[in-house]
Amino acid sequence: MVQHELNRPSYAMGVDIGGTKILIIIKDTKGQIVFREKFDTSRDVLKIVEMIKRSLNEAGASNYEILGMGVGVPGCVDTKNGVVMELPSLKWKNLELKKLLEPHFNFPIYIKNDVNYSAIGERYLGNGQKYENMVYISIGTGVGGALILNGSLVEGHNYSAGELGYFIDREDIRQGRKNVPQDFGVFEKKTSGKGLSEKAAEYGITSRQLFEEYAKGNEIVYPIIEDFVLNMSVAISNIVSLINPEIVIIGGGVSESMGCVIDKIRENVSSFTLIPVKIELSKIGGDAGALGAVQYVFNNV
Amino acid sequence: MVQHELNRPSYAMGVDIGGTKILIIIKDTKGQIVFREKFDTSRDVLKIVEMIKRSLNEAGASNYEILGMGVGVPGCVDTKNGVVMELPSLKWKNLELKKLLEPHFNFPIYIKNDVNYSAIGERYLGNGQKYENMVYISIGTGVGGALILNGSLVEGHNYSAGELGYFIDREDIRQGRKNVPQDFGVFEKKTSGKGLSEKAAEYGITSRQLFEEYAKGNEIVYPIIEDFVLNMSVAISNIVSLINPEIVIIGGGVSESMGCVIDKIRENVSSFTLIPVKIELSKIGGDAGALGAVQYVFNNV
C-alpha cells in the first residue's frame, strides 16, 4: 500500500439512477458506508452532477482520493463507451452519459445497466458470494436479468443480455401476444410488479397485498399468484437448462413479497428441469445496484 | 519458433467418439489435414487406444511431436478431470477417460462434450468465425447446444450448460410432459432427428424426406414441419433474449435438410424477440466436432 493511502482515505462511489429516485452510496476501502442518500430523480445531467458533488462534500470525501464512480441506469448501455442507448423512463436515447459526466470529475466513471450492477452487488455482498455461475433476476416495476458466467458478467453482443422480459411461448404466439418496442415484454407483462399491480387493482388491492392475501389463504387471489409462480418457474427452468448456473437470485421490489411462494418455485423448477440449482431471494434488497456499482469500482481499480 | 519445429512437423489430433462411429482427424500446424478416418465405435477404451495409435502411424505422425489430442463424446463431461459423467449411448458412467488414455500417450489430452467441440469448430473454421458471442445448436439424433460468450466456452456449474433439450413450456406442463432421466428431453422429443423420424415413419418416409416433401409443397407433411419450425423458432428467440449472441449456428445431421425452412425460422425469430441476431446453418457439417477438438489443442498449447 502506498504512503498516501495510509494517511488519506480512499473512496468509491455508486450512483443508481432510477425512474423516481437516485441513490448515492460512498464507501471507503475498508468497505464501510460513509454516505448513503436518496434524491429525486432527474433527466438533467447537470443536476445529477450537482447531487454527486454535494454527496462527496457531505461525506467529507471531496478532498481525498476517489477511486472511481459506478453509475447504473435502468436501460440498455454501451458500457465500452458509456453511452445510454435507450432509457425509456427518463427518455434518454443514445445519451453520451460518460462524456457528459467526465469533465466534472477527475476519477474513472463506469456506466452500466442497473440490473448488472445489482448482480455484482449480490455476487460480492449478498447471496451470490463466491458463485462463478449465477443468474440474477430483478422483478420490480419491470423484469430484467443479469448473467455472471465463468466468473464474468455477460452483457451480450449489443449489451442486451438478460432480457427475459421478452420470453415468449407457443401459447403467447397463438393468442397474438407480441414483443413490441417501447412497451413491456410479453413475459414482463405477466410477471412484473406493474403486471401484478394491474391484476391486484381489480380487487382494489396492491401487488404486495396480493401476496399477503395468498399467504393468508384467500382463495380469490390464488389464480393470479399461481399463474405468476408457474410463469416464473418455467422461465427459471429454461434458463437453468440453458446456462446451468449454481444459483438463481431473485431481487427487485416484488421479491420482498415472494417469501410465501419461493418454496413452490423451487419445487416446480426441480420438477421442470433435470439440472439442479439453488434459488434464493435477494438479501441486500434495493441497495444492490448502488452497492454493486461501488464494488465494481473496487474490483476494477 | 524453436529449431526442432522447423525440422520436424507438429500435429494435433481430434477424436470424435459417437454412438455409431469414431472420427479421427490429424492436422499439422499449418492447418492441413494429414489424416481423416472413420472407425466403428467402441465402448472399450483399449480398442479406442488402438485406433488412435494406428491413425498416428498411418499419418506418419507417431515419431514426431504431437501437441495434444482433443476427445469429444456425446455426453456430460467433467472437463477439469477428464471424467465422462454420463454417456448413455456407450453406457459410460463416471468413466475416468483421461486417466485411462494418459498412460498410452505422451501428449496432453482434453476430454469435452462433442457439441462444445463442434461449437469451437464452427467458431474458428466455420460460420462462427470471429464472433465473441455465439450459440451453437446441434440437431442430430438428439438436440444439444453450446455457448461461447465473451469469447469463452461456457460449460456451466456442472458442465451441463446448453441442455436446450430440456426446454419446457406451459402447454407441455399442462399436457403432463416431463423431463425424466435416461430419456430424451421434452423439447428434444419434439425437435430431434429421432422425434422427426418417428413422425415421418407414420408416412413411411425418413426425416430427410419429410423436409424434401415439404420443399416440394406436399401439404401432408406441413403440420409436422410447421410444428418443428415453431418450436425451434421459440427456443432460439428465448435464447437470444436471454444471451444476446451475435449469431446462432445450427448444425448436426438434421441441419443438412433445413435449407428449406431456415428463412422461416429467421422471420419467426425476428418477430418473436426484439433483439437482432444472425441465424446460419453449419458450413462444416459432421466434421465440426473432430475439427473443433483439433482446434482446441492448437488454441491451448
Side-chain angles (χ1 to χ4, degrees):
Chain A
M1 198 176 267
V2 292
Q3 189 59 31
H4 74 278
E5 283 184 337
L6 289 171
N7 301 328
R8 301 173 55 194
S10 302
Y11 299 97
M13 190 164 191
V15 180
D16 188 11
I17 302 179
T20 52
K21 294 283 173 187
I22 293 178
L23 172 63
I24 297 184
I25 287 178
I26 302 175
K27 269 187 171 188
D28 63 24
T29 44
K30 288 174 193 147
Q32 211 65 40
I33 293 176
V34 298
F35 181 87
R36 180 191 178 282
E37 200 167 314
K38 273 189 183 171
F39 302 82
D40 287 333
T41 202
S42 173
R43 58 184 308 275
D44 177 348
V45 176
L46 283 179
K47 280 198 181 148
I48 294 172
V49 167
E50 278 315 304
M51 291 173 207
I52 295 167
K53 286 192 169 168
R54 209 182 332 145
S55 303
L56 286 169
N57 273 329
E58 283 183 30
S62 54
N63 295 318
Y64 299 107
E65 192 185 11
I66 314 294
L67 298 170
M69 172 170 74
V71 181
V73 297
C76 188
V77 179
D78 168 353
T79 56
K80 215 167 168 182
N81 301 301
V83 177
V84 180
M85 293 153 73
E86 187 92 52
L87 201 174
S89 59
L90 296 183
K91 296 195 176 72
W92 285 350
K93 208 179 156 75
N94 297 318
L95 182 83
E96 296 194 312
L97 186 57
K98 192 180 173 187
K99 269 198 191 151
L100 292 170
L101 290 173
E102 265 172 350
H104 301 279
F105 305 103
N106 58 353
F107 44 76
I109 297 168
Y110 309 95
I111 322 279
K112 268 192 198 299
N113 172 273
D114 58 350
V115 180
N116 283 342
Y117 271 140
S118 295
I120 293 169
E122 289 292 342
R123 170 138 200 264
Y124 287 93
L125 309 161
N127 267 324
Q129 282 180 61
K130 292 177 200 133
Y131 296 116
E132 292 290 296
N133 292 285
M134 160 193 146
V135 173
Y136 176 77
I137 297 176
S138 168
I139 315 177
T141 309
V143 170
L147 319 173
I148 292 176
L149 303 174
N150 290 349
S152 304
L153 192 66
V154 168
E155 299 187 283
H157 173 58
N158 301 311
Y159 308 99
S160 300
E163 284 290 3
L164 63 155
Y166 294 153
F167 276 3
I168 198 163
D169 67 15
R170 293 174 296 166
E171 198 174 315
D172 295 320
I173 292 161
R174 245 178 269 125
Q175 294 176 349
R177 295 202 191 102
K178 282 196 81 156
N179 289 304
V180 290
Q182 317 297 335
D183 194 9
F184 273 41
V186 169
F187 179 75
E188 197 170 25
K189 282 183 182 166
K190 291 187 272 184
T191 53
S192 63
K194 187 163 175 274
L196 288 172
S197 294
E198 284 167 9
K199 284 172 192 160
E202 291 172 25
Y203 300 96
I205 57 175
T206 65
S207 65
R208 182 181 291 271
Q209 287 169 326
L210 212 51
F211 287 95
E212 286 166 1
E213 290 302 311
Y214 176 80
K216 277 187 218 160
N218 182 346
E219 292 188 13
I220 292 173
V221 303
Y222 274 28
I224 302 174
I225 296 295
E226 281 167 3
D227 197 48
F228 169 81
V229 166
L230 176 65
N231 278 303
M232 198 49 70
S233 304
V234 170
I236 293 173
S237 300
N238 291 338
I239 292 170
V240 168
S241 295
L242 185 68
I243 287 181
N244 181 208
E246 189 168 4
I247 189 165
V248 173
I249 296 175
I250 305 175
V254 173
S255 73
E256 292 165 21
S257 304
M258 282 174 63
C260 59
V261 297
I262 190 72
D263 277 337
K264 183 64 190 160
I265 291 176
R266 287 188 184 118
E267 194 186 300
N268 279 346
V269 170
S270 76
S271 104
F272 294 167
T273 178
L274 295 176
I275 299 176
V277 70
K278 295 185 187 82
I279 302 174
E280 298 289 345
L281 295 173
S282 164
K283 223 163 54 176
I284 50 176
D287 284 11
L291 289 172
V294 169
Q295 190 62 43
Y296 186 83
V297 172
F298 284 138
N299 292 355
N300 282 274
V301 174
Chain B
M1 198 176 268
V2 291
Q3 189 60 30
H4 74 275
E5 283 184 336
L6 289 172
N7 300 328
R8 300 172 57 193
S10 302
Y11 299 97
M13 188 163 194
V15 180
D16 189 10
I17 302 179
T20 53
K21 294 282 174 189
I22 294 179
L23 173 62
I24 296 184
I25 288 179
I26 302 174
K27 269 188 170 187
D28 64 23
T29 45
K30 287 173 193 145
Q32 212 65 41
I33 292 174
V34 298
F35 182 87
R36 180 191 178 283
E37 201 168 313
K38 273 188 183 170
F39 302 82
D40 287 333
T41 201
S42 173
R43 58 183 309 275
D44 176 349
V45 176
L46 282 179
K47 280 198 180 148
I48 295 173
V49 168
E50 276 317 302
M51 292 173 205
I52 295 167
K53 286 192 169 168
R54 211 186 327 147
S55 302
L56 286 168
N57 273 330
E58 282 182 31
S62 52
N63 296 319
Y64 299 106
E65 192 185 12
I66 314 296
L67 299 171
M69 172 169 74
V71 180
V73 298
C76 190
V77 180
D78 168 353
T79 56
K80 215 166 166 181
N81 301 302
V83 177
V84 180
M85 293 153 70
E86 187 92 52
L87 200 174
S89 60
L90 296 184
K91 297 195 177 70
W92 285 350
K93 206 175 158 73
N94 297 320
L95 182 83
E96 295 194 312
L97 187 57
K98 193 180 173 188
K99 269 199 190 149
L100 292 169
L101 291 172
E102 266 173 350
H104 302 278
F105 305 102
N106 58 354
F107 43 76
I109 297 169
Y110 309 95
I111 323 279
K112 267 189 198 301
N113 171 274
D114 59 350
V115 180
N116 283 342
Y117 272 139
S118 294
I120 293 170
E122 289 292 341
R123 169 137 202 265
Y124 288 93
L125 309 160
N127 268 324
Q129 281 181 62
K130 291 178 201 133
Y131 296 115
E132 292 290 297
N133 291 286
M134 161 194 146
V135 172
Y136 176 77
I137 297 176
S138 168
I139 316 177
T141 310
V143 171
L147 319 173
I148 292 176
L149 303 174
N150 289 350
S152 304
L153 192 64
V154 168
E155 299 186 284
H157 173 59
N158 301 311
Y159 308 98
S160 300
E163 284 291 2
L164 63 156
Y166 293 153
F167 277 2
I168 199 164
D169 67 15
R170 294 175 295 167
E171 197 174 316
D172 294 320
I173 292 161
R174 245 177 271 126
Q175 294 176 349
R177 295 201 191 105
K178 281 195 82 154
N179 289 304
V180 290
Q182 318 295 336
D183 193 10
F184 274 41
V186 168
F187 179 76
E188 198 170 23
K189 282 186 180 163
K190 291 186 272 185
T191 53
S192 64
K194 186 161 177 276
L196 288 171
S197 294
E198 284 167 9
K199 284 173 192 158
E202 291 171 24
Y203 299 95
I205 57 175
T206 64
S207 65
R208 183 181 291 270
Q209 287 169 325
L210 212 52
F211 286 95
E212 285 166 2
E213 290 302 310
Y214 176 81
K216 278 188 215 156
N218 182 347
E219 293 188 13
I220 291 173
V221 303
Y222 274 28
I224 302 175
I225 297 294
E226 280 167 4
D227 197 46
F228 169 81
V229 166
L230 176 64
N231 278 303
M232 199 47 74
S233 303
V234 169
I236 294 173
S237 301
N238 291 338
I239 292 170
V240 168
S241 295
L242 184 67
I243 288 181
N244 181 208
E246 189 167 5
I247 189 165
V248 173
I249 297 175
I250 305 174
V254 173
S255 74
E256 292 166 20
S257 303
M258 283 175 61
C260 59
V261 296
I262 191 71
D263 276 338
K264 183 63 191 160
I265 291 176
R266 288 188 183 117
E267 196 185 298
N268 280 347
V269 171
S270 75
S271 103
F272 295 168
T273 178
L274 295 176
I275 299 176
V277 69
K278 296 185 185 84
I279 302 174
E280 298 290 344
L281 294 173
S282 163
K283 220 162 58 175
I284 51 177
D287 284 11
L291 289 172
V294 170
Q295 190 62 43
Y296 186 83
V297 172
F298 284 137
N299 292 356
N300 282 274
V301 173

